């Protein structure tokens, strides 16, 4: 699937969003949703956090399809791109997916009812130019990445500490981690992103490095494209 450019795409784009840090070692995806909600919606989510988790039936194991159902409940226009529709059986032996057997029924059921629930799921793989086109035309992106492959060039340049929580512990195996892609800079060939495991700041990562992190084995190249309600 190629880019979705519909005209002029600026050289530099940064969507301003409120940074939200995750509170636990499992809620990075939920923190990403909180970042893209409006102020009133964010407060509503925070006030009903446990109820929303209970109704989603995911406990402390959130999959991308779970996030889509929450976005849908908050009337946030989005589209879910993935290379695997349903729970990928290849993940059964992955240490990160230790609750795969329990999750499988819920995840497959949510995929099965996605269309009738108003959730747009498309099976495909995209390149980084597609992400740039979306950021320059429509809005932010929630990405599933491999935690150990994420880094920030800005932090390295300025020798700033990035206080990572346990979900970003560097391990040899795959560890899924959600971030919000919020911009890019064509001049330096880097994406901008908000990392819920870090303090309030915008991180920078080269195009190709992000591509490796989001296409790592275990991610199914999961992408949630967000659309401004005015688009």
């Amino acid at each position: 699937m190629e880019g979705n450019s519909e005209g002029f795409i600026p050289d530099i784009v940064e969507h301003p969003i409120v940074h939200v840090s995750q509170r636990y070692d499992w809620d990075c995806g939920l923190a990403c949703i909180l970042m893209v909600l409006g102020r009133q919606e964010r407060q509503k989510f925070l006030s009903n956090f446990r109820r929303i988790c209970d109704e989603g039936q995911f406990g402390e194991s959130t999959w991308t399809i779970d996030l889509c159902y929450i976005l849908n409940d908050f009337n946030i226009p989005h589209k879910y791109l993935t290379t695997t529709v349903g729970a990928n059986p290849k993940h059964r032996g992955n240490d990160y997916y230790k609750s795969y057997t329990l999750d499988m029924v819920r995840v497959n059921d949510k995929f099965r009812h996605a269309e009738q629930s108003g959730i747009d799921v498309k099976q495909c793989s995209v390149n980084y130019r597609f992400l740039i086109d979306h950021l320059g035309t429509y809005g932010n992106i929630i990405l599933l990445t491999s935690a150990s492959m994420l880094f920030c060039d800005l932090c390295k340049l300025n020798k700033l500490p990035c206080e990572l929580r346990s979900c970003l512990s560097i391990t040899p195996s795959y560890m899924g981690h959600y971030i919000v892609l919020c911009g890019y800079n064509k001049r330096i060939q880097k994406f901008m992103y908000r990392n819920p495991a870090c303090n309030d700041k915008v991180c920078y990562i080269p195009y190709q490095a992000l591509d490796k992190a989001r296409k790592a084995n275990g991610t199914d190249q999961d992408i949630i494209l967000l659309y401004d309600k005015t688009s």
Side-chain angles (χ1 to χ4, degrees), residues 15 37 56 58-59 79 87 90 97 130 140 154 187 208 216 226-227 229:
H15 299 290
L37 293 179
F58 47 76
K79 181 181 293 185
K90 293 181 180 179
Y97 290 96
F130 178 93
N140 297 297
L154 188 62
R187 297 171 188 172
Q208 289 79 7
L226 301 168
Y227 296 85
K229 291 184 179 180

Side-chain angles (χ1 to χ4, degrees), residues 52-170:
I52 290 171
C53 291
D54 290 343
E55 290 180 353
Q57 300 180 335
F58 47 76
E60 298 182 1
S61 178
T62 53
W63 290 51
T64 309
I65 191 67
D66 296 314
L67 303 183
C68 290
Y69 272 78
I70 296 174
L71 288 168
N72 200 47
D73 288 341
F74 281 95
N75 298 312
I76 303 300
H78 67 282
K79 181 181 293 185
Y80 175 18
L81 308 184
T82 181
T83 57
T84 306
V85 175
N88 191 336
K90 293 181 180 179
H91 298 331
R92 191 186 299 271
N94 191 317
D95 290 340
Y96 177 76
Y97 290 96
K98 55 184 178 294
S99 61
Y100 177 89
T101 302
L102 293 174
D103 293 339
M104 179 179 61
V105 174
R106 180 193 83 252
V107 169
N108 286 336
D109 187 62
K110 286 188 174 182
F111 270 103
R112 192 178 302 113
H113 295 96
E115 184 176 359
Q116 66 188 64
S117 299
I119 296 171
D120 189 355
V121 180
K122 184 176 181 61
Q123 185 174 14
C124 64
S125 174
V126 301
N127 57 36
Y128 71 83
R129 295 180 185 86
F130 178 93
L131 304 181
I132 292 172
D133 287 348
H134 181 88
L135 289 165
T137 307
Y138 299 112
N140 297 297
I141 301 170
I142 296 176
L143 280 182
L144 178 58
T145 67
S146 179
S148 62
M149 301 176 75
L150 280 179
F151 60 87
C152 174
D153 275 350
L154 188 62
C155 291
K156 291 195 301 182
L157 181 65
N158 295 321
K159 297 183 179 180
L160 298 174
C162 186
E163 297 180 4
L164 305 182
R165 297 175 187 269
S166 57
C167 75
L168 275 185
S169 299
I170 305 304

Side-chain angles (χ1 to χ4, degrees), residues 10-54:
D11 283 346
I12 301 175
V13 166
E14 180 182 349
H15 299 290
I17 56 176
V18 174
H19 190 91
V20 176
S21 297
Q22 60 191 93
R23 295 183 287 181
Y24 311 105
D25 62 0
W26 56 269
D27 63 330
C28 54
L30 302 181
C32 287
I33 289 180
L34 286 165
M35 288 195 226
V36 302
L37 293 179
R39 183 177 61 84
Q40 291 184 337
E41 295 164 322
R42 186 180 308 113
Q43 187 56 52
K44 180 180 178 181
F45 192 167
L46 289 170
S47 299
N48 297 278
F49 185 85
R50 183 48 58 187
R51 178 182 62 79
I52 290 171
C53 291
D54 290 343

Side-chain angles (χ1 to χ4, degrees), residues 7 80 86 141 156 191 211 221 223-224:
Y80 175 18
I141 301 170
K156 291 195 301 182
F191 283 111
D211 247 13
Q221 299 184 38
I223 298 170
I224 302 178

